[in-house]
């Protein structure tokens, strides 16, 4: 059974930092990607970043490029999302997900979305 556990959310002031973690187990397929998404109230879910299991390739949405960094701790089966220079508009529920890696469509916008999801962790950025 594929399982993902997200953690690390919280309340932070604008300009501050948080590190989210996604611990995985039971992934049975090769060449997968672990991705972070977020969803704010009243807004559509947004793909933020993902990392490939095979070669460590990373992808970022324009909204977080230069501020967020994704990394993979293979020994701990954990993917981290380091979030710096946080803004109030980063306030949302953050989710990690895993599925087959498609470098041409890393957030699966044309493939019906990711299959396996963890529970959300809430991030609130105060102004």
């Amino acid at each position: 059974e594929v399982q993902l556990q997200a953690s690390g959310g919280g309340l932070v002031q604008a300009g501050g930092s948080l590190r989210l973690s996604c611990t995985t187990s039971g992934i049975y397929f090769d060449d997968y990607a672990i991705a972070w998404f977020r969803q704010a109230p009243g807004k559509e879910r947004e793909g933020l970043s993902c990392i490939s299991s095979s070669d460590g390739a990373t992808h970022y949405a324009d909204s977080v490029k230069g501020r967020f960094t994704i990394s993979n701790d293979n020994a701990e089966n954990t993917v981290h999302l380091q979030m710096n220079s946080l803004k109030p508009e980063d306030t949302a529920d953050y989710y990690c997900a895993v599925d087959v890696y498609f470098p041409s469509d890393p957030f699966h916008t044309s493939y019906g979305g990711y299959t396996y999801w963890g529970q959300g962790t809430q991030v609130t950025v105060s102004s």
Side-chain angles (χ1 to χ4, degrees):
E1 181 184 7
V2 177
Q3 294 185 325
L4 301 96
Q5 179 76 36
S7 61
L11 173 64
V12 64
Q13 288 189 332
S17 299
L18 282 174
R19 189 176 80 156
L20 305 184
S21 298
C22 178
T23 301
T24 66
S25 63
I27 298 174
Y28 58 88
F29 42 94
D30 297 327
D31 199 11
Y32 56 87
I34 294 176
W36 285 96
F37 294 79
R38 69 185 177 192
Q39 188 163 21
K43 294 189 176 181
E44 292 188 354
R45 187 173 62 200
E46 177 187 13
L48 303 176
S49 183
C50 74
I51 187 165
S52 161
S53 66
S54 60
D55 61 3
T58 58
H59 302 266
Y60 295 94
D62 287 342
S63 59
V64 304
K65 199 172 294 183
R67 299 190 298 126
F68 291 10
T69 303
I70 194 168
S71 61
N72 197 352
D73 183 343
N74 290 319
E76 297 292 332
N77 290 327
T78 299
V79 169
H80 300 289
L81 185 68
Q82 178 66 43
M83 307 188 298
N84 298 330
S85 302
L86 284 163
K87 307 173 183 179
E89 51 264 44
D90 293 318
T91 296
D93 290 326
Y94 284 68
Y95 301 86
C96 59
V98 65
D99 210 325
V100 175
Y101 175 55
F102 294 127
S104 62
D105 185 11
F107 299 115
H108 286 210
T109 55
S110 300
Y111 290 96
Y114 273 58
T115 301
Y116 301 100
W117 292 82
Q119 89 295 352
T121 186
Q122 189 172 51
V123 171
T124 303
V125 184
S126 63
S127 56

